[in-house]
Amino acid sequence: MTGPLAGIKVIEITNVVAGPSAGVQLADQGADVIKVEPPTGDIIRASAKSGLPPMFISCNRGKRSISIDLKQDAAKEILWKLIEKADVFIENMRPGALKRLGFGKEKLSEFNPKLIYLSITGFGESGPYSSKRVYDPLIQAVSGLADLQGESIQPKMVRTVIADKTTAAYAAQAITAALFHREKTGEGQHIDLAMLDTMVNFLWPEGMSPYTIVDDGGVLPPPSHDRIFKTADGYITAGAVSDSEWNGMCVAMNREDLIDDPRFATQKLRTDNKDQRYKVMAEIFETQTSSEWVEALDANDVPAAPVLKRSDMFENEQIINNKIIKELDQPGLGTIRQSRPAAQFSKTAVTMPKPAPRLGQHSVEILSEIDFSKDEITALIDSQIVFQYLSDD
């Protein structure tokens, strides 16, 4: 493996998106990530007959899979052997579930003092919501994100699992920070990361700005963000936050009279009167094509871009220039598309994304690495403590 995390061994017991996505970021950067799965596998596998639905592939590419039944003591011994040689352990089970299996954070810290142990929960390890079964929409609802999306009129969900994926990014950063601390001190530690905490933190800079100053005497309106506008042949987004951007937009729209319009003369007025401003802009933008408007707005230094359909991304000149979308072979499915890791390192280049594992694909290989003999491995498989993927070929 290459990449800045080459040589780091990660053990993960995770399901769905938040935990697996944290692990995949580490795998993308060179870590050896071993996904420990039950006999039925990550629950997302069940959404496709192949056991490799697109979401599973994207959240688990580049990992190795071992499938064991942790209800059995012999399987727990296997997990202890994996943890003994691990640098990082990630789990996103319900609070207390791993402790009941015998893998509490105190016990793991005593067993491997250098271990970085990260637990992802929905609402936290304690409190009235801690035992809830959690999916992304619950976090959007409680964190205030749905309210922000609805502009305090009618709450709306972001139509992607933003809480899961943001938590994964926070988790990967926290793990690398803990690894840096360990490099200096030799100490491992436990990291508690709640999806709710993540999204409140994520939302704060602009989404919670009306509530930041405690003794302000009143709630300010949220900052105005320009929207998506229909054009003669599609849609664009264009932003005019500063006075200079608003002046440039008025010039591009050939409506310089709007610069000194008493409704829009300052940033605050443009926010207070945003509905009137949007109506004026919408009528103007429908008169020309998207490319014409983007060209005119670019010429006047106004942030603007076409709104692409997801299927149009593959032909966009900037996306092609960045070479972010890669094709690779996924055994059992054929050629698939994946986005390459976003961060590009000048000294420790990351490799192309690698395929996602079949359930138990690497069970034998991983057991051999932790000193199980061929006969012991056969006995573990025969007794259904360990499960091995058998190719259809």
Side-chain angles (χ1 to χ4, degrees):
M1 299 292 289
T2 61
L5 295 180
I8 296 296
K9 187 176 290 294
V10 180
I11 308 300
E12 68 163 60
I13 302 181
T14 64
N15 275 286
V16 194
V17 175
S21 290
V24 89
Q25 291 182 59
L26 305 179
D28 279 347
Q29 294 179 1
D32 176 17
V33 180
I34 296 175
K35 186 177 181 70
V36 180
E37 300 187 72
T40 52
D42 185 318
I43 62 175
I44 295 299
R45 286 190 184 271
S47 61
K49 187 177 180 181
S50 65
L52 293 168
M55 188 165 73
F56 179 87
I57 292 171
S58 298
C59 294
N60 294 281
R61 67 190 188 195
K63 300 177 185 177
R64 297 193 289 165
S65 170
I66 179 172
S67 179
I68 58 178
D69 181 6
L70 281 173
K71 294 177 183 178
Q72 302 192 53
D73 289 342
K76 293 178 184 179
E77 289 303 317
I78 292 169
L79 183 56
W80 280 119
K81 285 181 176 289
L82 290 170
I83 291 169
E84 183 180 11
K85 296 186 177 182
D87 297 288
V88 177
F89 180 63
I90 306 173
E91 58 97 1
N92 67 343
M93 299 175 73
R94 285 196 191 186
L98 267 182
K99 186 175 183 178
R100 289 191 293 272
L101 286 170
F103 295 90
K105 57 187 177 184
E106 295 85 2
K107 196 169 182 179
L108 264 66
S109 179
E110 292 173 6
F111 181 74
N112 183 350
K114 292 187 175 183
L115 184 70
I116 309 302
Y117 176 10
L118 182 132
S119 300
I120 295 175
T121 58
F123 289 106
E125 294 192 338
S126 63
Y129 287 15
S130 62
S131 62
K132 280 182 177 287
R133 188 173 183 84
V134 179
Y135 287 116
D136 193 277
L138 275 71
I139 305 302
Q140 291 196 39
V142 178
S143 68
L145 180 59
D147 175 61
L148 178 66
Q149 288 297 113
E151 296 185 331
S152 300
I153 300 169
Q154 179 176 338
K156 295 180 181 178
M157 296 292 179
V158 177
R159 293 189 65 187
T160 185
V161 287
I162 188 169
D164 277 288
K165 293 186 286 187
T166 304
T167 299
Y170 275 54
Q173 188 279 326
I175 287 167
T176 52
L179 286 169
F180 181 64
H181 172 79
R182 191 185 72 174
E183 184 70 17
K184 295 187 295 180
T185 66
E187 298 176 335
Q189 61 183 301
H190 178 255
I191 305 167
D192 176 20
L193 182 64
M195 293 171 66
L196 177 62
D197 298 2
T198 297
M199 291 312 294
V200 170
N201 180 274
F202 174 81
L203 195 63
W204 206 277
E206 90 308 344
M208 295 298 290
S209 60
Y211 308 94
T212 294
I213 302 173
V214 175
D215 297 320
D216 193 50
V219 177
L220 299 171
S224 175
H225 298 286
D226 284 351
R227 298 182 175 182
I228 290 172
F229 297 97
K230 192 176 187 307
T231 66
D233 66 346
Y235 296 88
I236 64 167
T237 184
V241 177
S242 68
D243 289 340
S244 64
E245 289 166 348
W246 174 243
N247 293 350
M249 179 171 282
C250 293
V251 172
M253 295 188 302
N254 198 27
R255 287 294 306 272
E256 294 182 59
D257 59 297
L258 295 174
I259 294 174
D260 296 319
D261 189 301
R263 298 170 296 173
F264 314 134
T266 67
Q267 188 177 124
K268 184 178 186 304
L269 286 168
R270 290 192 293 275
T271 296
D272 292 344
N273 300 301
K274 63 181 184 299
D275 292 337
Q276 296 175 57
R277 181 166 58 89
Y278 290 153
K279 183 178 178 181
V280 171
M281 293 167 66
E283 291 172 353
I284 295 170
F285 281 130
E286 284 199 65
T287 63
Q288 295 186 61
T289 66
S290 295
S291 60
E292 288 172 331
W293 280 121
V294 170
E295 182 178 356
L297 291 162
D298 282 347
N300 287 279
D301 203 26
V302 180
V307 177
L308 302 179
K309 294 181 179 178
R310 285 167 290 173
S311 57
D312 293 338
M313 283 199 312
F314 307 108
E315 306 300 326
N316 178 265
E317 58 270 27
Q318 188 61 54
I319 289 174
I320 292 171
N321 176 81
N322 290 10
K323 300 177 182 177
I324 192 169
I325 298 171
K326 303 293 185 181
E327 293 187 355
L328 63 144
D329 179 60
Q330 175 64 56
L333 294 180
T335 302
I336 63 168
R337 295 188 184 99
Q338 289 285 284
S339 63
R340 63 159 171 76
Q344 300 184 77
F345 297 85
S346 64
K347 300 293 185 181
T348 53
V350 298
T351 60
M352 280 277 289
K354 292 180 170 57
R358 292 292 188 94
L359 177 61
Q361 179 179 340
H362 305 95
S363 292
V364 172
E365 174 182 297
I366 292 166
L367 289 172
S368 297
E369 291 173 0
I370 53 176
D371 302 324
F372 281 88
S373 69
K374 185 176 180 180
D375 289 343
E376 288 173 326
I377 293 170
T378 300
L380 288 166
I381 292 171
D382 289 344
S383 58
Q384 294 193 316
I385 294 166
V386 174
F387 297 83
Q388 176 188 15
Y389 168 71
L390 297 175
S391 172
D392 296 328
D393 298 338

